[in-house]
Amino acid sequence: MISWPRTVVVVSLVGVLLSGCGIGGGVQEVRLERLADEQDAWDGRDVRTRGIVRMAEQPLHYWIEDDVPNRVEIQPADAVEDHVGRQVIVEGTFRFRDDEGRRITVGTVEVVTPDS
């Protein structure tokens, strides 16, 4: 028979290992480079990533990008429209479709400050 403290340790360890593998749900922190390189693998997953907000007017749309640039569209647009040119951290659901590209439907946006 396994003692109670040992059971708690084993269950906790399994939870940590699964969360690190992306199994078991939850938001996964991921770089834009990985979202671009492994877009099919990340489709439908909740992610947390960062980039500089950019926009185009025709048609009006917003995205975040890194230095390469790897880009991911942000929806809804009003989630980031006041942050063009700033670095942000976004959390939301990542989607990829061949005919639509990469997109994050945003749940939260946080502007990165110099001390972040």
Side-chain angles (χ1 to χ4, degrees):
M1 179 174 204
I2 297 176
S3 68
W4 176 250
R6 182 177 287 173
T7 303
V8 171
V9 170
V10 170
V11 170
S12 297
L13 182 57
V14 169
V16 168
L17 292 173
L18 289 176
S19 67
C21 295
I23 299 170
V27 175
Q28 300 292 308
E29 190 152 339
V30 61
R31 295 174 45 151
L32 287 174
E33 178 180 21
R34 281 195 67 195
L35 290 176
D37 290 346
E38 303 166 9
Q39 53 202 13
D40 288 318
W42 289 95
D43 184 44
R45 294 174 66 182
D46 291 332
V47 300
R48 176 179 170 91
T49 193
R50 70 169 55 203
I52 304 291
V53 177
R54 304 290 186 210
M55 70 162 291
E57 291 187 16
Q58 295 298 324
L60 182 62
H61 63 284
Y62 295 82
W63 66 91
I64 57 173
E65 65 183 29
D66 59 15
D67 293 335
V68 172
N70 293 297
R71 297 177 173 151
V72 176
E73 182 180 6
I74 299 297
Q75 287 192 341
D78 62 358
V80 293
E81 67 186 356
D82 294 334
H83 305 305
V84 173
R86 295 183 180 152
Q87 187 167 129
V88 296
I89 297 171
V90 298
E91 280 189 17
T93 303
F94 179 78
R95 297 280 181 210
F96 171 71
R97 299 289 178 269
D98 286 329
D99 60 336
E100 296 178 8
R102 296 181 292 268
R103 171 182 307 146
I104 295 175
T105 303
V106 174
T108 63
V109 175
E110 173 187 342
V111 175
V112 176
T113 58
D115 56 334
S116 296

